[in-house]
Amino acid sequence: MGALRKGFYWDTESLIVVGLFTALGKAASLLVALLGGGMNPVTLLLKNGIATALLVVMVARVRKFGALMLYTLVAQVVSFLMTGGIMVSTLPLYLLGALVADGLIALCGGYRKVWAVLVGVAIYDAFGRLFGLAMSFLMARENVGMVGVGAVIVAFGYLGCLFVGLPCGAKFVKELRHAGIIREV
Amino acid sequence: MRASSVKSEALDIRTRLAISLAVSGVSIYLSGTGPLLALGAATLLYVLASGRYRVIAVSYLAVCAMMAFTVGVIVVSFKIGEWLVAGTAWEKSVAMLKPAMLGNFHTPFLRMIPALNVLLAIGLDFSVQRFVGAMKSLRLPRVALVPLMVFCRFVPEFVDVIRQLRDAVRMRGFSMSLGAALVHPIQAIRLTVVPLTVRTLRMADHLSVAAEMKRVGYAKRPTQLLALRFGKADFAVLVAAAHILALICVWQALIPATPYGPRSVQTQEARHE
């Protein structure tokens, strides 16, 4: 084993939390698929809602500037494996969106305030969906209808994020803080 | 070189990741039917080398079903739209949209095929150990490496946890179905997501203590259990892939593209002039 280094900004616990929540997000998609079958409005709302709620919990637990950027980096490498590299070209844009969301959380009072985290995650999700839609336009630019179907699905998913994910995330964070699983200070 | 040595199984995972990246980039650039077909055929040969014909056939069927569903939704939605605006001032506008909405379904589909093939080539021979080895050998920073390793190790664990959760919910007399989620959405979330989240956070606590004790991620050079080798087969496949992709790109640059692509629109306008 090589020499050991000290004083990292990202401690091992934060890195593990990010990795675990990325894995949980993918596994939760499987759970929703088992629960709701194929592509239908309820499944879409639930899937996006659960993903957003988990993201809120993750950010509230990690509580460090750059948490969303790190999550984006890991999630994009994972989606590189799952979609065959198509989404990698948008990585800089996704990172920029995450940076804006992280900056917004910091400006709104920091990671200890639940509403600041909610605002940041809402903005992050909006950026992610926009970039995803731009990518689907590149993939299906010859047929506007296909991009339109994608836009409807993305918009519906964002409704799930706003009206299911954020309230559930806020509630989870409150309860987990009460239970002492997420630290308040 | 023996043909068997160039089989997909013999390739380093880094070679496959590089090919996936390059093919995906090129497939976005391409818009002509010929070049896309050529790329699809070349990548199909590449994935067929794995010998997993049944999985490949099932994957193709799934993509075809997905595509048929999408096309069906678009056609039905457009027909409903046409029926709704019939006889109104919007009728002309909707008629003008028809070629863009209902024409050229095949190009996006053809663009999906190479991406599917290279993805299958990775997925059919994927092992967590090899992937983690590849990530370590790429000298990724600790910030990216530790979460990625955790992700790779714990997705199967979470799938198992979800199965246990489903059994536990059934034992308590509740149902895990779409109908149940519709009737009792809060209960569905409480019974499924809350235990998962709490378990994940507890798991993070235990894992981080174990990782700190083992000083995971603190070494200058990560320890590799499986040393990856970049062999002659990798070199040969990469050179062949680079040549094929370059030829297909040249073909795309020389030949006018699909009926509704930007290049062909220009061509049609030029013809009218």
Side-chain angles (χ1 to χ4, degrees):
Chain A
M1 199 171 174
L4 299 176
R5 286 180 285 177
K6 287 179 181 176
F8 289 118
Y9 174 72
W10 290 105
D11 52 34
T12 311
E13 186 188 351
S14 303
L15 299 178
I16 286 172
V17 169
V18 171
L20 278 177
F21 270 85
T22 316
L24 179 62
K26 297 292 172 200
S29 301
L30 178 77
L31 170 73
V32 177
L34 283 173
L35 196 80
M39 194 182 286
N40 58 63
V42 181
T43 306
L44 270 175
L45 277 178
L46 268 178
K47 189 180 154 193
N48 289 283
I50 290 171
T52 306
L54 292 175
L55 195 59
V56 170
V57 174
M58 188 210 80
V59 175
R61 168 72 186 245
V62 173
R63 293 180 306 165
K64 277 188 177 177
F65 184 83
L68 285 171
M69 285 178 74
L70 184 58
Y71 174 80
T72 307
L73 184 70
V74 178
Q76 285 294 300
V77 175
V78 169
S79 78
F80 167 50
L81 287 173
M82 297 177 88
T83 60
I86 290 168
M87 300 301 278
V88 165
S89 50
T90 52
L91 178 61
L93 286 174
Y94 275 103
L95 284 175
L96 191 69
L99 179 67
V100 170
D102 271 323
L104 206 64
I105 295 174
L107 281 176
C108 289
Y111 290 78
R112 286 183 178 84
K113 290 189 175 172
V114 179
W115 70 270
V117 172
L118 296 183
V119 169
V121 170
I123 295 295
Y124 170 77
D125 225 23
F127 270 118
R129 280 164 209 285
L130 275 177
F131 297 144
L133 203 58
M135 202 62 214
S136 74
F137 172 74
L138 277 180
M139 284 295 286
R141 56 188 180 268
E142 287 82 7
N143 189 294
V144 183
M146 290 177 106
V147 183
V149 169
V152 170
I153 291 171
V154 164
F156 210 78
Y158 194 57
L159 288 181
C161 154
L162 288 181
F163 298 112
V164 180
L166 296 181
C168 282
K171 180 86 178 158
F172 287 174
V173 171
K174 194 180 161 192
E175 292 295 327
L176 290 167
R177 275 185 178 168
H178 186 69
I181 298 173
I182 291 180
R183 285 183 294 275
E184 279 192 66
V185 286
Chain B
M1 186 184 293
R2 284 169 57 194
S4 60
S5 65
V6 196
K7 275 175 80 173
S8 179
E9 295 157 339
L11 297 177
D12 189 319
I13 187 161
R14 289 166 295 183
T15 307
R16 269 176 274 168
L17 290 174
I19 289 175
S20 166
L21 205 60
V23 167
S24 301
V26 169
S27 70
I28 290 171
Y29 164 67
L30 298 180
S31 57
T33 306
L36 278 169
L37 274 173
L39 186 62
T43 50
L44 181 63
L45 286 176
Y46 165 62
V47 72
L48 282 175
S50 66
R52 307 277 295 274
Y53 307 118
R54 197 175 165 181
V55 183
I56 296 166
V58 170
S59 307
Y60 266 75
L61 279 176
V63 169
C64 288
M66 193 186 77
M67 198 66 195
F69 175 76
T70 312
V71 171
V73 168
I74 294 167
V75 172
V76 170
S77 311
F78 194 80
K79 293 289 174 197
I80 292 172
E82 269 187 331
W83 177 70
L84 286 174
V85 299
T88 65
W90 291 91
E91 196 173 2
K92 262 190 176 177
S93 312
V94 172
M96 277 170 71
L97 274 174
K98 196 170 183 177
M101 292 287 283
L102 301 184
N104 200 354
F105 282 114
H106 68 279
T107 309
F109 179 64
L110 286 177
R111 197 172 284 131
M112 241 184 268
I113 296 297
L116 171 73
N117 289 338
V118 288
L119 181 64
L120 280 172
I122 296 174
L124 288 176
D125 196 32
F126 185 85
S127 85
V128 172
Q129 193 64 50
R130 287 174 71 183
F131 176 71
V132 170
M135 291 294 119
K136 283 179 177 173
S137 65
L138 287 173
R139 303 279 176 92
L140 284 178
R142 169 183 169 274
V143 166
L145 188 62
V146 174
L148 275 173
M149 285 197 299
V150 171
F151 174 86
C152 287
R153 301 281 183 206
F154 280 88
V155 166
E157 171 81 16
F158 280 125
V159 172
D160 210 36
V161 168
I162 286 170
R163 282 202 198 106
Q164 289 174 13
L165 195 65
R166 193 179 55 183
D167 293 342
V169 168
R170 276 183 190 162
M171 274 173 69
R172 287 184 63 189
F174 297 105
S175 164
M176 267 178 83
S177 64
L178 185 65
L182 262 175
V183 178
H184 302 291
I186 296 172
Q187 191 186 55
I189 290 173
R190 191 167 62 84
L191 287 171
T192 53
V193 186
V194 174
L196 266 178
T197 311
V198 173
R199 185 160 179 159
T200 308
L201 290 168
R202 295 245 184 257
M203 204 186 273
D205 280 340
H206 296 154
L207 208 60
S208 56
V209 170
E212 285 289 346
M213 294 297 286
K214 286 189 166 185
R215 307 292 286 170
V216 170
Y218 282 75
K220 272 183 181 169
R221 188 177 288 182
T223 314
Q224 276 183 260
L225 291 175
L226 188 76
L228 296 172
R229 283 183 183 176
F230 192 83
K232 285 178 185 172
D234 296 287
F235 183 73
V237 169
L238 277 178
V239 169
H243 278 88
I244 291 168
L245 290 178
L247 278 173
I248 290 172
C249 285
V250 170
W251 186 4
Q252 173 64 48
L254 293 175
I255 295 174
T258 50
Y260 298 105
R263 286 166 56 80
S264 62
V265 170
Q266 285 170 8
T267 317
Q268 283 170 0
E269 281 169 2
R271 272 184 207 147
H272 285 303
E273 281 171 15

